[in-house]
Amino acid sequence: MKPQTEALIETLRRTVGPAHVLTDGDLTAWEKDWRRRVRGKALAVVRPATTAQVAQVVRACAAAGAAIVPQGGNTGLVVGSTPDASGTQVVLSLTRMNAVRAVDPANLTLTAEAGCVLQAVQLRAEESGLLFPLSLAAEGSCTIGGNLATNAGGTQVLRYGNTRELCLGLEVVTAQGEVWDGLTGLRKDNTGYDLRDLFIGSEGTLGVITAATLKLHPLPAARLTAWAALPSLAAAVALLALAQRRLGAGLTGFEVMNRFALDLVARHFPQLRQPQLQDAPYCVLLEASDHESEAHARAQFEQLLESALDDGCALDAVVAESLAQARELWHLRESIPLAQAEEGLNIKHDISLPVSRIPAFCTATDAQLAQAIPGVRLVNFGHLGDGNLHYNVQAPEGVDAAAFLQGEEARINALVFDAVQAHGGSISAEHGVGSLKVHELEQRKSPVALALMRAIKQALDPRNLMNPGRVLREPAQ
Ligand code: FAD
Ligand code: ZN
């Protein structure tokens, strides 16, 4: 180890305690991404316990010219939170910063440290009779800092918005190691440029989020879940419009799944019971939240589904009878990414489109893919209410997944992303850019937007030490 590197490690040890600077042993949990696509090598994994320690760590790294990769739960899907292979980057893990600092029920806010696991925040809000609505399948291990850094979406966006809409204030350690305390619980604050919104969604490239003041909502009196079998995606879009008309803000979830996605769940998790409904190419999971009563919600939901059956936009439907049944239905939906991972490496596309254009997009792109690669298997599911599909491509049955990825990923991405652009969509709806989509972003984002993004990066992190090479390509040396 070079003397300068040794000196940095020594400073980090003094700052956070030797037990929290990891350099040897098995660092897989921090060095490998959730999808197991990439394995990096960290100079060290540093686990500070306070904002002051984060600031000191950043200053020490800056002085030594060492790049920092902020990391929360390491559940991100675009290879943004793991170090590169150089062995020179410091992983700054926030997971020890997991305190809820305050709950203010009258202001409907909760202030949490960045390393708080999302589920812990949901539970803490619930203990106060309130709701923190952000919800995603990784909620048992992803962190608030990671949610904010990626502006995570999830299954409740339709009603409550992305993480950005759920955040009122931030505390950030800048790339220079200064602390910006922007933890206001204010709903109105027009005092200049919105720094909070700059850091949200910046994927660790502008600074380290150390805490946030989050927006809470009243806890609904009842939540009901239904499952419907549908003849087509066009029918799903029609059902969404009907549900929005009938339920208004009471419609809190609308998830779509194609047959193959559910078949994969049946194959890899046979213990999960699937509703015994008429066979159909698509299913949707609907959730309604009601501030009056369960009886009121059930009556509304049943009327809605009856109309859908009469109209022919649903073939068959069932409303969960109990909380346990509702959980089973959600569990089925949330098991799709896990079932896909069990099936093998796949090519993921986290896309968004105007809802109205989704049926045409899928009809055209499904056909193009089938023609380009006979036997290709499409796992198509997602948050239809937000126009967000996880349009994922799995190798044909019996074809080696790694070889498929190697040989076909570029061609498939070009085909799908060209179609997304032609239909007025986005190539990254909720997962972000990380390192996986840097090239695509550069190809497809407008030059003006890219120049503005580079100017922001240059202004906030002129030495390019915060998660370099993520979101934006590293400038040529
Ligand atoms: P990490 O993976 O550790 O980091 C993600 C990015 O944020 C990295 O660029 C990292 O450098 C940066 N970062 C992390 N913490 C900080 C911090 N404190 N300050 C600055 N930068 C930081 N995402 C969705 O949006 N919607 C979904 O429905 C969804 N479902 C998922 C389901 C599964 C099964 C899995 C595995 C993932 C899913 N994701 C989803 C993706 C992922 O869970 C989210 O992006 C999540 O917000 C990441 O949080 P994390 O704490 O794991 O962050
Ligand atoms: Zn999603």
Side-chain angles (χ1 to χ4, degrees):
M1 208 185 271
K2 287 190 199 153
Q4 200 195 9
T5 310
E6 258 175 47
L8 171 61
I9 303 275
E10 200 36 54
T11 308
L12 296 175
R13 288 200 174 115
R14 271 202 312 277
T15 305
V16 302
H20 301 299
V21 180
L22 316 177
T23 52
D24 307 314
D26 184 7
L27 302 182
T28 309
W30 296 272
E31 290 181 336
K32 204 166 193 175
D33 78 299
W34 189 87
R35 289 170 65 196
R36 300 173 199 192
R37 285 192 60 146
V38 179
R39 166 88 201 231
K41 172 92 191 81
L43 176 68
V45 176
V46 185
R47 305 175 66 232
T50 63
T51 302
Q53 285 184 3
V54 173
Q56 274 179 284
V57 168
V58 171
R59 283 200 298 272
C61 290
I68 292 175
V69 181
Q71 190 180 92
N74 197 15
T75 68
L77 299 174
V78 287
V79 194
S81 53
T82 46
D84 69 12
S86 66
T88 62
Q89 301 190 326
V90 171
V91 172
L92 177 57
S93 166
L94 279 299
T95 52
R96 283 178 73 215
M97 290 187 59
N98 61 2
V100 171
R101 291 189 189 162
V103 182
D104 182 346
N107 196 43
L108 288 173
T109 51
L110 178 153
T111 300
E113 292 183 342
C116 274
V117 169
L118 170 55
Q119 200 166 53
V121 171
Q122 295 167 341
L123 290 173
R124 186 61 188 274
E126 231 174 281
E127 280 165 22
S128 306
L130 295 165
L131 172 74
F132 182 59
L134 182 65
S135 178
L136 41 128
E139 65 199 19
S141 44
C142 65
T143 63
I144 289 299
N147 300 148
L148 286 158
T150 59
N151 186 26
T155 57
Q156 304 280 301
V157 174
L158 179 62
R159 164 71 179 86
Y160 300 102
N162 295 298
T163 310
R164 186 185 300 284
E165 280 82 36
L166 298 170
C167 177
L168 293 173
L170 286 184
E171 179 187 83
V172 171
V173 170
T174 67
Q176 292 70 37
E178 290 173 317
V179 180
W180 169 53
D181 179 356
L183 284 177
T184 72
L186 301 177
R187 284 174 171 75
K188 291 192 165 182
D189 179 14
N190 283 347
T191 51
Y193 302 143
D194 199 325
L195 301 175
R196 174 194 62 197
D197 276 349
L198 205 51
F199 286 105
I200 296 175
S202 66
E203 301 185 46
T205 62
L206 300 180
V208 185
I209 296 168
T210 48
T213 298
L214 304 167
K215 212 188 262 183
L216 303 179
H217 288 263
L219 203 57
R223 277 200 210 183
L224 285 186
T225 307
W227 190 274
L230 310 183
S232 64
L233 263 181
V237 171
L239 178 57
L240 173 66
L242 184 67
Q244 284 173 318
R245 257 198 327 272
R246 293 282 182 86
L247 305 177
L251 181 68
T252 45
F254 197 95
E255 299 285 310
V256 71
M257 296 147 273
N258 76 347
R259 187 68 259 155
F260 181 59
L262 291 167
D263 287 348
L264 277 188
V265 174
R267 177 183 295 180
H268 295 287
F269 305 111
Q271 71 280 14
L272 300 183
R273 264 192 311 153
Q274 302 213 8
Q276 297 299 305
L277 298 183
Q278 193 175 319
D279 203 25
Y282 289 93
C283 287
V284 294
L285 182 158
L286 301 94
E287 185 191 76
S289 298
D290 196 284
H291 287 276
E292 225 176 283
S293 68
E294 180 166 336
H296 181 253
R298 193 169 287 277
Q300 269 200 323
F301 226 174
E302 281 171 356
Q303 277 170 15
L304 165 72
L305 292 170
E306 266 168 39
S307 304
L309 290 168
D310 288 347
D311 289 359
C313 57
L315 300 170
D316 205 353
V318 60
V319 182
E321 288 298 328
S322 63
L323 207 59
Q325 263 185 21
R327 284 214 185 98
E328 276 182 19
L329 295 177
W330 273 108
H331 193 46
L332 270 180
R333 156 66 185 87
E334 287 173 351
S335 299
I336 296 172
L338 306 171
Q340 258 189 131
E342 290 292 318
E343 183 74 6
L345 285 172
N346 53 84
I347 303 169
K348 287 197 194 299
H349 305 108
D350 163 40
I351 57 177
S352 66
L353 296 148
V355 172
S356 52
R357 302 192 71 170
I358 283 182
F361 166 85
C362 289
T363 306
T365 316
D366 290 7
Q368 271 184 298
L369 279 170
Q371 199 186 16
I373 301 166
V376 79
R377 299 176 300 162
L378 265 177
V379 183
N380 186 4
F381 68 101
H383 321 289
L384 189 75
D386 318 323
N388 177 192
L389 292 179
H390 299 307
Y391 190 80
N392 300 338
V393 181
Q394 203 107 32
E397 191 89 50
V399 170
D400 178 66
F404 178 72
L405 233 69
Q406 177 96 34
E408 300 289 4
E409 186 165 25
R411 179 160 75 120
I412 291 178
N413 283 349
L415 189 156
V416 172
F417 292 144
D418 283 352
V420 167
Q421 273 194 310
H423 286 83
S426 164
I427 62 158
S428 179
E430 59 172 7
H431 295 162
V433 178
S435 52
L436 268 192
K437 294 190 185 146
V438 171
H439 177 71
E440 289 297 344
L441 193 79
E442 198 166 73
Q443 300 299 309
R444 295 173 187 276
K445 194 112 182 155
S446 90
V448 177
L450 280 171
L452 289 171
M453 284 167 63
R454 288 198 189 102
I456 292 168
K457 171 76 175 170
Q458 173 67 24
L460 270 66
D461 179 24
R463 295 176 62 205
N464 195 28
L465 293 177
M466 295 302 311
N467 221 357
R470 311 301 161 93
V471 183
L472 293 170
R473 190 165 47 86
E474 287 196 68
Q477 299 298 315

